[in-house]
Amino acid sequence: MAHTTLVAPGVTATRLPLLDVLRGAAILGTLMTNVWIFTSPGSEWSVLQGGLGSPDPLAGPSAATIAEALFRFLADGKFLSLLTVLFGVGLAIQYDSAARRGERWPGRYPRRAAFLFLEGTLHFVLLFAWDVLMGYAVTALLTAWLLARSERVRRAVMWVAGGLHLTLIGLVTVGGLVTPDPGPRAPDPEAVRLYAHGGWGEQIAFRLDHALALRVEPVFTFGLLVFLFLLGVRLHRAGAFGPTTAGRRIRVRLAAWGLGLGLPLGAAAALGGDDFFLLGRYVLAPLIALGYAGLIGCVLDRRTVPAAGALASVGRTALTCYVGQNLLCVLLCYGIGLGLAERLDGSGPWWVMGLWAAVSLTLVAASTLWLRRFERGPLETVQHRVLRPRR
C-alpha cells in the first residue's frame, strides 16, 4: 500500500522520556479507580449495579468522606483517558518508525492488534472484567488504517467520532435527569458470595456468562476511543511530548486549558450526583487528563523530580504492570486469596487508599529492579518474541 510519510517534526527514533513517565502515571492512576472495584461487595458486577458511587462530601463532610471523594474524583476516568491518548501516540510512533524504514503500512501491525486482543481476552476471562486491551485492539486497527490516509480524513473521522460520543452522552444524561431516581440498590447477594467465597473457576464462568454486559463500556465509548487515539496522533505530530520549545508551549496550553477549565466543570459534575456521572467520566475526564499530561510535562521541563524515574520504570513495563496490579488486587481482595474486601468491609476508605499505595510501590520496586537486568518487562518480552519478524 502506498502511503505518505508523516513523521512528526523534530522527532527521531530516540525514545521520548516524558512518554514513559506519563504512561507510568496512567497505569498507577488507573488503579486509583479500579481499586474501589476490587474492594467493593460484588466487585466487578457492582459496577453495573451502580454500587460504586462516590460519597457526597457535602452531605457528610468527615475527613474520611472528603478524602475518598477527592481521591476518586482526581482519578475516575482521567488516567484511563490519558492511557488511551498515549496508546494513540504509541501507534503514531510505530507508523513513523515504519515510514523511516520505508516499510509498507499497516504491514504487520494487524498481527500486533490481534495479539493485543488475545491478551485482553485472557485478561478479561482469567482476571478482571473491566479490561481495556480488547477495546484498544479494535480501535487500533481502525486508527492504523487511518494513519495511511490524509490528515483531512483523520481530522474528519476524529471530530465525527467525538461529536457522536458527545451526542450519546448528552442523550443518556438527559434521559437520566427526566427518569425518576429508583434510589440505591443493594449489591447482588450472589455476586457478593461469588467474589468473597467462590472459586476462581466460578468467577471465570460468571464473567463468560455475563460477557456482553461486562464488555459494554468499550462499545458504549467507542467514539471516545477513536477520538482520543487520533488526538494522541495529532499531539505526537505536533511535537507535544518532545524536548523542544514548541513542545513546551503545547504542554503549557494543555495544562492551562485542561486543568483551568476541566477541574471546575468536573467538580461541578461530581457534586451534581449520579445523574452527571457519565458526563464527568466520559466528557470532562478526558479534558482533565490532557491537563494532567501538560502539568507533568511542565514540571519535568523545569526541574528534576525523583519520582519521575520510578514512574518511567512502570511506563516501560506498562503491560506487565497493568496486568500485575489487577492480579495483586485479585489475590489480596477476593476470597481465592486473602479476602480483604470482605474482612475489611465497612471499615472506611483509608485501607483502600493504603492498598492502592502498597500495590503501586510494589510495582515501582519490581519494575525498577527488573529493568536493571532486562530491556523489557516480562509480558513485553513475550509480545516482542511472538511478533518479531522471522528470518
Side-chain angles (χ1 to χ4, degrees):
M1 180 191 298
H3 65 265
T4 303
T5 302
L6 295 172
V7 181
V11 174
T12 67
T14 303
R15 194 176 189 99
L16 298 175
L18 176 58
L19 290 179
D20 289 330
V21 176
L22 292 176
R23 198 174 292 112
I27 293 295
L28 299 185
T30 300
L31 180 60
M32 290 177 68
T33 298
N34 290 345
V35 71
W36 301 97
I37 300 176
F38 289 110
T39 57
S40 66
S43 188
E44 301 161 317
W45 193 244
S46 62
V47 176
L48 294 178
Q49 294 184 297
L52 294 179
S54 182
D56 186 354
L58 299 181
S62 66
T65 300
I66 295 173
E68 179 182 352
L70 183 61
F71 185 94
R72 296 174 70 166
F73 167 71
L74 292 176
D76 187 37
K78 285 78 171 177
F79 291 102
L80 181 59
S81 295
L82 177 58
L83 188 64
T84 308
V85 170
L86 294 174
F87 212 99
V89 173
L91 185 57
I93 291 174
Q94 292 178 62
Y95 173 81
D96 290 348
S97 179
R100 280 191 296 269
R101 295 192 300 266
E103 298 176 357
R104 296 164 65 89
W105 182 265
R108 298 170 57 86
Y109 187 80
R111 290 186 59 189
R112 180 180 292 273
F115 189 81
L116 183 67
F117 188 87
L118 175 61
E119 288 176 316
T121 302
L122 293 174
H123 183 234
F124 166 79
V125 173
L126 301 178
L127 276 184
F128 188 49
W130 297 99
D131 166 79
V132 302
L133 302 177
M134 298 169 70
Y136 283 1
V138 175
T139 310
L141 275 178
L142 173 60
T143 308
W145 178 80
L146 289 170
L147 281 173
R149 301 299 180 268
S150 67
E151 174 63 25
R152 181 178 180 181
V153 170
R154 285 194 298 276
R155 187 185 301 114
V157 172
M158 174 180 163
W159 290 111
V160 168
L164 291 175
H165 173 73
L166 286 176
T167 301
L168 176 61
I169 296 298
L171 291 174
V172 175
T173 299
V174 171
L177 290 171
V178 300
T179 302
D181 185 3
R185 291 192 297 174
D188 183 350
E190 178 56 28
V192 174
R193 183 210 65 80
L194 172 68
Y195 289 99
H197 304 288
W200 186 40
E202 289 182 85
Q203 294 174 12
I204 291 174
F206 182 84
R207 282 190 285 270
L208 292 175
D209 289 341
H210 299 84
L212 291 179
L214 292 170
R215 291 285 73 205
V216 68
E217 185 178 46
V219 177
F220 180 73
T221 62
F222 185 69
L224 178 62
L225 292 177
V226 173
F227 178 85
L228 293 179
F229 264 60
L230 291 173
L231 179 60
V233 172
R234 287 177 64 89
L235 288 172
H236 170 67
R237 302 227 183 280
F241 307 102
T244 63
T245 301
R248 295 186 185 95
R249 284 199 297 265
I250 294 174
R251 292 191 282 274
V252 169
R253 289 200 294 269
L254 287 175
W257 284 101
L259 300 180
L261 184 62
L263 283 179
L265 293 177
L271 294 174
D274 292 341
D275 289 333
F276 297 97
F277 170 77
L278 295 180
L279 181 65
R281 178 174 172 85
Y282 298 119
V283 175
L284 299 174
L287 178 60
I288 298 173
L290 296 177
Y292 285 175
L295 176 63
I296 293 172
C298 288
V299 170
L300 295 181
D301 285 338
R302 287 164 173 75
R303 59 179 58 89
T304 300
V305 180
L311 289 176
S313 295
V314 175
R316 289 179 57 191
T317 57
L319 179 60
T320 298
C321 287
Y322 172 66
V323 175
Q325 67 189 21
N326 293 333
L327 175 61
L328 287 173
C329 286
V330 165
L331 295 176
L332 292 169
C333 297
Y334 293 172
I336 59 175
L338 295 181
L340 294 182
E342 183 183 41
R343 293 184 185 184
L344 300 176
D345 182 33
S347 61
W350 299 111
W351 81 271
V352 181
M353 291 183 276
L355 176 65
W356 167 79
V359 172
S360 297
L361 289 174
T362 300
L363 295 175
V364 166
S367 61
T368 301
L369 292 174
W370 181 274
L371 291 174
R372 288 180 181 176
R373 292 196 60 185
F374 303 98
E375 182 182 0
R376 299 178 178 86
L379 292 183
E380 287 79 6
T381 299
V382 172
Q383 184 183 62
H384 175 73
R385 290 181 177 177
V386 170
L387 297 176
R388 66 183 176 185
R390 295 292 185 266
R391 297 198 176 190

